[in-house]
Amino acid sequence: MSPVPAKPRLLVGQFWQESHSFNPLPTSADDFTLERGPEVIAANRTAGSALGGILRAGEAAGVAWLPSVAARARPGGPVEERFFTALLEEILASDAPDAVCLDLHGAMLSRERDDCEGDLLTALRAKLGPDIPIAVALDLHAHVTPAMAEAADILIAYKTNPHADMVETGAKTFALLQEVMAGRLRPLRTLARLPFLTRGNDETCSGPLAELQATARALCSARPGLRDISICNVNPFVDAPGVGQTVLVTSDGDADEAQQVAARLARRLWELRDLFQQDLPSMETALTQVRETPAGRPFALGDQGDRVLAGAPGDATALARLLLRSFPDLRVALPLYDPDAVRACGAAGLGKDLNLAVGGRVTPGQTPLEVTGRVLRLGDGRFAHSGAYMTGVPVDLGPTALLQAGKLSLLLTTKAPFVQDPAAYESQGLTVSELDAVVAKSGNHFKLAFAGQATPLVLDTPGLSRFHPSDFPFSRARPIHPLDAIELSAPPLQTFGGSA
């Protein structure tokens, strides 16, 4: 490696989107929030994201930034290939850096690519050559591929689900990159991949992941050569070759130690594979609980089957239909994706009553819901997260309409409703504390955002993000547990970098 200047120039950027192979709506350029050049730094310096952690750590260290692009979109269908290619070329066109530090999700697809991040990092490595270090912060639900592990010197994923350590992950990614630049770390990446999908019960504060993450922390503390252990529980709606759970050990020791640790954790992960199942209350049971709970703190209801945060469209109508039919006394706010309904509300105007069919046009098995309501508000759908998850990160729901149907407040959006934070509702003129419940298109992360404001309760709802692998036409990911019978005597290991 060439000597690093006293004030190194770091290429920094973000390309963040989590893809759902079975969502028929592609993620287009219009779905992304984009910053370029100096705006990357100004817009993300204080953000509660891995990029925010990278920027704050880098500025404390006195590096010189070469800001490229920060592109963020809510999870959804595969990214349009033309847009991905254009962003890839824009990042590659950046000035030559002394090092690279990126915030990537790790589970981005296009219809033409199974491994967008792997292709991006491989292209960067080909342009920069072997001596420019590349470090990447990843989501815990990344699909970590050999191409990613071969091209990047450092790959560090979140350790918590819900993701409470995004900023810390960015800071750690930068810190290890500093050690590589200073010649104190020659990172060895040892990757174990296991062919199975989780079916819920995948929070890190309880269940099988609590044990695995605790073991990983203890191993890192006891063995100085182990610099990081990332256990990635892939987005379970990615249909691509090699999809599954991964253990990635970053070390500065010999390959044998790293392989032993990776194999140990991977074996245990495989042994626990059938504990990753969730038992959730039905919609009726959950709403009855809301009705029978004395007035006080409202509920935040996690719409498990229609989680936009897992890539679903956000247009499932089953929960809204049940509320209107069987729980009309409950004051509930619920988001639905329906651009046509938003336009109809806009044409009717504020304060007007109308009969309208909403939602149910994208998610298989769902049908539009006929409602009679009054248009209470028309908005631009823009707000910034105020809770503890992705604090300060801006969101764009597209033009919105708030339609009041009895006691049900329908937040209609023209982009998939990335709604897992109180600010989504407060920005529309709704006061969360005055409602019986609000619906989040999330199964885990909304618990961080609504902490102290609402009681979290996750519901078993229909939709494209339900943890039922047999409901989906998986083909490229197979064979994979639990869809196939798989014998695994020893987890396969691959080693990259270091002295390997």
Side-chain angles (χ1 to χ4, degrees):
M1 182 180 295
S2 303
V4 177
K7 192 177 179 68
R9 303 196 314 160
L10 261 69
L11 175 65
V12 66
Q14 179 187 58
F15 204 170
W16 196 97
Q17 194 267 353
E18 181 179 24
S19 299
H20 189 307
S21 292
F22 308 109
N23 183 338
L25 294 177
T27 301
S28 69
D30 290 341
D31 293 310
F32 279 84
T33 298
L34 278 168
E35 293 105 21
R36 291 180 165 91
E39 190 182 6
V40 172
I41 310 299
N44 294 283
R45 179 182 284 114
T46 61
S49 63
L51 178 56
I54 290 168
L55 293 175
R56 297 200 278 281
E59 291 186 347
V63 303
W65 296 121
L66 290 175
S68 177
V69 178
R72 298 175 301 281
R74 47 79 188 143
V79 174
E80 289 183 343
E81 173 67 14
R82 181 181 300 178
F83 176 75
F84 173 79
T85 301
L87 263 289
L88 170 64
E89 292 174 353
E90 188 169 345
I91 293 169
L92 292 175
S94 302
D95 292 342
D98 298 306
V100 178
C101 203
L102 300 176
D103 175 7
L104 306 177
H105 184 283
M108 184 191 299
L109 312 171
S110 74
R111 294 297 181 199
E112 291 78 11
R113 299 175 190 260
D114 293 321
D115 182 16
C116 287
E117 286 94 346
D119 289 352
L120 167 61
L121 294 172
T122 298
L124 266 175
R125 178 57 70 204
K127 176 191 175 183
L128 299 175
D131 296 331
I132 301 298
I134 299 174
V136 180
L138 294 172
D139 192 285
L140 178 143
H141 295 104
H143 167 39
V144 183
T145 64
M148 294 163 63
E150 183 170 22
D153 301 274
I154 300 292
L155 290 167
I156 304 296
Y158 317 150
K159 306 300 187 289
T160 61
N161 184 32
H163 304 327
D165 62 333
M166 299 171 75
V167 173
E168 292 83 352
T169 300
K172 182 175 182 179
T173 301
F174 175 81
L176 291 182
L177 176 60
Q178 274 191 301
E179 293 196 47
V180 175
M181 289 190 291
R184 298 190 299 270
L185 171 61
R186 189 180 181 189
L188 188 75
R189 286 91 63 201
T190 302
L191 179 65
R193 298 200 293 167
L194 300 168
F196 82 87
L197 299 174
T198 60
R199 289 164 282 168
N201 194 26
D202 57 356
E203 294 192 10
T204 53
C205 59
S206 62
L209 284 180
E211 173 196 325
L212 288 161
Q213 292 287 355
T215 301
R217 289 192 299 271
L219 287 167
C220 280
S221 297
R223 306 188 186 195
L226 301 180
R227 310 309 297 275
D228 181 78
I229 300 173
S230 291
I231 301 171
C232 290
N233 313 115
V234 66
N235 169 13
F237 309 106
V238 169
D239 187 21
V243 158
Q245 312 305 297
T246 56
V247 176
L248 179 62
V249 177
T250 301
S251 65
D252 194 25
D254 60 66
D256 288 343
E257 179 183 51
Q259 289 178 356
Q260 290 169 10
V261 168
R264 171 183 169 181
L265 287 167
R267 281 195 301 270
R268 185 57 177 156
L269 186 54
W270 180 254
E271 291 169 357
L272 299 172
R273 63 192 181 279
D274 287 325
L275 295 184
F276 289 93
Q277 298 189 60
Q278 205 157 22
D279 183 18
L280 298 175
S282 67
M283 295 185 292
E284 292 86 349
T285 298
L287 293 177
T288 299
Q289 181 180 341
V290 173
R291 174 185 277 166
E292 294 178 351
T293 299
R297 179 180 292 183
F299 282 82
L301 304 177
D303 189 351
Q304 181 75 357
D306 196 30
R307 289 173 291 143
V308 172
L309 207 53
D315 78 324
T317 53
L319 184 56
R321 193 182 307 275
L322 180 62
L323 281 162
L324 288 174
R325 183 184 71 234
S326 302
F327 297 86
D329 54 311
L330 292 181
R331 299 166 300 165
V332 178
L334 184 150
L336 275 180
Y337 166 74
D338 193 330
D340 290 341
V342 173
R343 285 188 282 270
C345 289
L350 289 173
K352 299 298 184 181
D353 294 329
L354 71 165
N355 299 317
L356 196 60
V358 298
R361 294 181 172 87
V362 180
T363 301
Q366 297 293 296
T367 57
L369 173 65
E370 298 287 340
V371 298
T372 299
R374 175 168 295 177
V375 181
L376 293 188
R377 189 181 182 97
L378 299 169
D380 62 10
R382 294 176 181 170
F383 64 94
H385 286 102
S386 61
Y389 174 67
M390 298 182 78
T391 310
V393 174
V395 177
D396 183 2
L397 304 179
T400 57
L402 187 63
L403 185 69
Q404 192 70 32
K407 292 190 176 182
L408 178 62
S409 302
L410 290 169
L411 172 55
L412 305 174
T413 69
T414 51
K415 295 182 179 180
F418 198 51
V419 173
Q420 63 276 332
D421 189 282
Y425 291 113
E426 302 283 353
S427 66
Q428 302 295 320
L430 292 169
T431 301
V432 171
S433 62
E434 295 177 355
L435 301 170
D436 296 310
V438 294
V439 174
K441 294 295 185 178
S442 164
N444 289 315
H445 306 314
F446 78 101
K447 297 174 185 178
L448 294 175
F450 281 95
Q453 298 188 51
T455 300
L457 180 60
V458 184
L459 290 64
D460 184 10
T461 55
L464 279 175
S465 61
R466 204 176 184 196
F467 281 125
H468 289 189
S470 59
D471 291 348
F472 301 97
F474 280 98
S475 58
R476 296 177 59 75
R478 301 182 75 166
I480 195 161
H481 181 80
L483 297 175
D484 303 292
I486 298 174
E487 294 292 332
L488 190 67
S489 56
L493 302 174
Q494 294 173 282
T495 300
F496 307 89
S499 56

